[in-house]
Amino acid sequence: MPLHLEIQLLAVVVAAACALPGVFLVLRRVSLISDAISHSVLLGIVLAFFWVRDLTHPALVVGATATGILTVVLVEALHRSGRVKEDAAIALVFPALFSLAVLLIARYAGQMHLDVHSVLLGEIALSPFRRWEMGGVDLGPRTLWMMGGILVLNAAAILILWKELKLSTFDPALAAALGFSPVVLHYSFMALVSVTAVGAFDAVGSILVVALMIAPPATAWLLTDRLTHMVGLSVLLAVSAALSGFWGAWILDVSIAGAMATMTGVGFVLAFFLAPDRGVLAGIRRRTRQRVEFAGMLLAVHLLNHEGTLDEVQETRIDHLQQHLRWSPDFARRVINRAERVGWVRREGSERLRLTPLGRETARVGMTR
Amino acid sequence: MGDGFLSALLTDPTLRVVGLGAGAVGALAGALGCFALLRRQSLLGDAVSHAALPGIVLAFLLTGSRATPVLVLGAAFAGWMGTLFVMAVVRHSRVPEDSALGILLSVFFGAGLVLLTYLQRTPTAAQAGLDTFLFGQAATLLIQDVILVVGVGAVAILLLALFWKEMKLLCFDGEYGRVQGIPMNRMDVLLTSLLVVAIVLGLQTVGVVLMSALVVAPAAAARQWTDSLGVMVLLAGVLGGLAGVGGAWVSTLGDGIPTGPTIVLLASAVVVVSILAAPRRGILWDRIRLRRTRARLRSGSPGSALPGDTPGGGV
């Protein structure tokens, strides 16, 4: 397989593997745990390395996952002690663990080829050079196998625990009352996040892990209300960000991980403004429409109030309306046009309005509502 | 030991600069961090420090200058844009704040990486030195940098003192302030801007990843010792400053002891001690109180015992 195809395949697998647990991180409002875990796993890797003295040993993954879970345990212990809030607990725990790791690396840097740069920034372009060979047969990049395994693990865990995850995410109290153990579920889920972060940061660096875990699910949440759709959409968005980021970086010859992270952000910003229901623009349009609708109702009530009174001639003049209801001429025109279109009023001559039977009925209902 | 350090601090010019710089950064971040902690914005520090990267690179790209004030200005601008982004997202969508912060830190940082790698390709790239902002290198501090930190920090503290009452309201009862006719939104922007400035000033010393700890740790430690905001800010400033100076000193004791992580570990140790041992709030005091109460109840002194506690009791 050509190099760039292998990188892309790896990028797709990493993106999908990260987006899956990311959905629940975002929905449970613990997104930043991914940031904490993806940094503090460095300590586990360093400690495990001191134990086995081999950077390719599987014990490193075990150690890293263990520190990931340790991070969660420490954050929760601090939070539960009541001395600091949860956000402060996160901000206290992971820098301390990361500092310890950096200190250990700096002290014993000569012995290991693990520099903080590659941990944070990652270099996915180098991943295909670490091959997995068995009996002299080249089986492809090692990271690809590992991330493939993690992807399968994540998908399987989410499928098997679907009901439990869904319930404990949206109604933790009910989940606990029904006898699902929130603690067991929580820690199993966090273990999953840790394993994913460990596997992925070897390939793409811890920052991109955070981007892939949080941005695509948050984007998907702006686009759908269904959990199944959100999961599918998150994977799709993460994969397209990874691929477009890869090609952007390839063409401009810049950091691949950085470009992928940037693309997840581009996707989020687009959805933030343009999402069909929840986008900022849709919100503005909806508010404008509601304002015109409400003003139309106001107009009908106003006309009904003065129907058959002495000042009817005066009060139904279009130019007087503008004054009386304090509408700008432009706004008044829009309101009247709409009221005419839905058949609440009709024009009498060029400057007066009269209610239709439908308009009269609407105004009566509107007043009693 | 302390004497040796003191004399070294006074005689060794490099150590003096590094110690002063780290101390000033720690004090400033510690004092302003109190407000972040109380307003539950602890992770803003983490997000802003990451978000500063594209600003630093862009400032260099646009001006070609590597002078600290230029880069800090770029960093502050990007960090500030980032906080505005988070505020807008929280306000106008259902995406919660933690996700918005996560997106901010990873996406801005990714964009910064893209710019940095783009810069490294250009032939004129004398970009060495931008890296120090990523991981922090207190040893690269110059006396001008320290003057900048102290100068800007003094202005920030002065502003804090001027708007003390408003800032206090912002932390504890913003609604009341609004009712009183104080422009709380503007105060919010001012306080957040001060925090952003403190964070970007510290980047060169401790780096992107660890800056958040310098914002939160002294404040979290100080919080355990007092219930008064004024005392807390002072104490956090002192603790942050001590952690900065102490970290700078410890890192001179041996080879391969980076300053940033040492500062953070010192500050974290102070937090642990404070949470355990601070009078009244400390966990150890809790235990002691519990034990005393138990002993008193067991010894049968009915003074504070509840009615149900007497054997066979209950009304």
Side-chain angles (χ1 to χ4, degrees):
Chain A
M1 218 184 330
L3 179 65
H4 72 94
L5 269 184
E6 273 185 349
I7 298 176
Q8 284 181 71
L9 187 60
L10 182 59
V12 167
V13 172
V14 170
C18 287
L20 282 177
V23 170
F24 295 95
L25 282 176
V26 168
L27 287 174
R28 289 164 170 245
R29 290 173 166 71
V30 288
S31 309
L32 287 165
I33 279 284
S34 68
D35 183 36
I37 289 178
S38 65
H39 283 99
S40 58
V41 287
L42 182 62
L43 180 61
I45 292 179
V46 174
L47 291 178
F49 173 78
F50 285 150
W51 191 282
V52 297
R53 303 269 150 189
D54 175 11
L55 263 179
T56 58
H57 202 281
L60 266 63
V61 179
V62 177
T65 310
T67 33
I69 298 170
L70 176 73
T71 311
V72 179
V73 172
L74 284 177
V75 167
E76 268 165 25
L78 255 182
H79 174 47
R80 216 168 284 153
S81 80
R83 267 72 184 180
V84 291
K85 303 278 184 293
E86 190 174 17
D87 61 327
I90 295 177
L92 286 170
V93 169
F94 88 83
L97 297 181
F98 190 77
S99 293
L100 204 56
V102 173
L103 208 61
L104 288 173
I105 294 177
R107 280 296 274 174
Y108 308 98
Q111 303 175 19
M112 56 194 298
H113 294 281
L114 188 66
D115 70 320
V116 189
H117 270 77
S118 62
V119 166
L120 271 186
L121 316 180
E123 199 38 90
I124 195 170
L126 295 181
S127 291
F129 292 110
R130 280 168 292 176
R131 315 294 298 188
W132 197 30
E133 282 174 30
M134 203 175 263
V137 185
D138 179 23
L139 294 175
R142 213 166 41 213
T143 323
L144 185 59
W145 282 99
M146 182 159 77
M147 283 316 294
I150 291 173
L151 174 62
V152 171
L153 177 73
N154 281 349
I158 286 177
L159 269 179
I160 294 169
L161 294 173
W162 178 259
K163 185 179 59 196
E164 287 82 357
L165 274 173
K166 190 173 175 178
L167 189 61
S168 68
T169 300
F170 291 106
D171 196 343
L174 180 62
L178 288 176
F180 300 119
S181 168
V183 178
V184 173
L185 193 63
H186 183 66
Y187 282 106
S188 328
F189 176 63
M190 285 303 170
L192 218 55
V193 174
S194 297
V195 174
T196 312
V198 175
F201 101 145
D202 179 40
V204 298
S206 60
I207 297 299
L208 183 57
V209 172
V210 177
L212 286 172
M213 278 194 180
I214 303 178
T219 312
W221 202 16
L222 293 174
L223 298 171
T224 174
D225 283 341
R226 284 188 63 92
L227 186 58
T228 39
H229 293 182
M230 187 172 160
V231 171
L233 215 51
S234 300
V235 171
L236 206 66
L237 285 164
V239 166
S240 26
L243 288 180
S244 58
F246 170 79
W247 281 109
W250 194 264
I251 293 164
L252 297 171
D253 188 17
V254 291
S255 155
I256 298 176
M260 289 178 182
T262 309
M263 288 317 292
T264 64
V266 169
F268 179 79
V269 169
L270 283 179
F272 177 65
F273 284 108
L274 303 176
D277 283 333
R278 303 190 171 273
V280 168
L281 288 185
I284 292 174
R285 241 192 336 261
R286 190 168 48 237
R287 274 192 297 280
T288 319
R289 203 186 54 231
Q290 282 168 345
R291 209 159 49 225
V292 173
E293 269 174 29
F294 179 76
M297 180 70 78
L298 206 65
L299 174 67
V301 171
H302 172 80
L303 291 175
L304 183 71
N305 260 339
H306 292 284
E307 228 167 32
T309 62
L310 288 174
D311 52 1
E312 188 180 353
V313 181
Q314 175 68 16
E315 291 290 342
T316 54
R317 288 170 59 92
I318 290 177
D319 52 351
H320 175 75
L321 280 175
Q322 295 175 4
Q323 231 174 60
H324 187 104
L325 297 171
R326 298 187 181 207
W327 290 342
S328 70
D330 182 50
F331 185 68
R333 197 167 49 246
R334 279 171 64 193
V335 173
I336 293 169
N337 284 344
R338 182 179 175 279
E340 242 183 333
R341 205 171 56 241
V342 296
W344 290 356
V345 300
R346 60 193 151 72
R347 279 174 206 266
E348 206 163 67
S350 62
E351 52 197 22
R352 299 255 300 280
L353 293 172
R354 178 166 289 283
L355 278 175
T356 62
L358 175 65
R360 211 165 287 132
E361 189 53 35
T362 310
R364 287 212 182 90
V365 172
M367 272 194 296
T368 54
R369 203 162 51 187
Chain B
M1 206 164 67
D3 287 350
F5 172 58
L6 269 184
S7 61
L9 192 62
L10 292 173
T11 50
D12 182 340
T14 321
L15 182 57
R16 191 167 59 205
V17 169
V18 173
L20 270 180
V25 163
L28 183 63
L32 283 164
C34 292
F35 295 93
L37 184 88
L38 292 171
R39 304 181 64 206
R40 305 197 183 178
Q41 288 181 331
S42 300
L43 288 162
L44 192 67
D46 194 30
V48 166
S49 54
H50 282 83
L53 181 62
I56 294 171
V57 185
L58 267 184
F60 176 73
L61 266 179
L62 293 178
T63 63
S65 156
R66 232 174 13 190
T68 310
V70 175
L71 300 186
V72 165
L73 210 63
F77 180 70
W80 205 67
M81 292 298 291
T83 31
L84 288 187
F85 164 81
V86 171
M87 286 180 187
V89 167
V90 171
R91 199 164 187 190
H92 297 292
S93 79
R94 64 168 159 186
V95 173
E97 186 170 20
D98 64 309
S99 296
L101 285 172
I103 293 173
L104 167 65
L105 80 86
S106 55
V107 171
F108 269 54
F109 194 80
L113 272 186
V114 168
L115 287 172
L116 198 62
T117 41
Y118 172 78
L119 193 63
Q120 277 162 347
R121 277 193 309 116
T122 53
T124 53
Q127 53 36 275
L130 294 186
D131 269 29
T132 59
F133 278 89
L134 276 186
F135 302 105
Q137 221 165 353
T140 61
L141 281 176
L142 303 173
I143 187 70
Q144 296 95 299
D145 302 336
V146 177
I147 293 172
L148 179 78
V149 174
V150 172
V152 177
V155 174
I157 298 295
L158 191 72
L159 281 170
L160 203 59
L162 268 179
F163 293 103
W164 180 258
K165 189 183 60 198
E166 287 82 355
M167 298 299 166
K168 203 170 177 176
L169 271 177
L170 203 56
C171 291
F172 298 110
D173 199 345
E175 281 310 306
Y176 177 70
R178 211 165 311 231
V179 173
Q180 293 293 305
I182 300 168
M184 295 313 267
N185 286 339
R186 250 176 277 169
M187 289 297 144
D188 190 358
V189 171
L190 174 66
L191 186 52
T192 310
S193 309
L194 290 182
L195 191 62
V196 169
V197 169
I199 290 165
V200 296
L201 282 175
L203 289 183
Q204 194 182 0
T205 311
V206 296
V208 163
V209 181
L210 300 178
M211 193 55 214
S212 62
L214 213 49
V215 172
V216 179
R223 174 67 190 92
Q224 310 307 320
W225 299 88
T226 174
D227 285 335
S228 143
L229 181 63
V231 178
M232 180 179 165
V233 170
L234 269 180
L235 190 57
V238 170
L239 289 177
L242 284 180
V245 178
W249 170 55
V250 171
S251 66
T252 60
L253 293 182
D255 283 336
I257 305 182
T259 315
T262 313
I263 296 175
V264 171
L265 284 177
L266 276 180
S268 307
V270 174
V271 174
V272 172
V273 171
S274 303
I275 287 182
L276 287 178
R280 286 193 313 174
R281 270 176 75 96
I283 290 175
L284 290 181
W285 294 107
D286 257 12
R287 291 281 154 83
I288 292 173
R289 249 195 317 270
L290 191 67
R291 188 159 300 168
R292 278 195 194 139
T293 315
R294 272 195 193 136
R296 200 170 58 233
L297 287 174
R298 222 172 271 134
S299 72
S301 122
S304 64
L306 300 167
D309 284 335
T310 44
V315 185

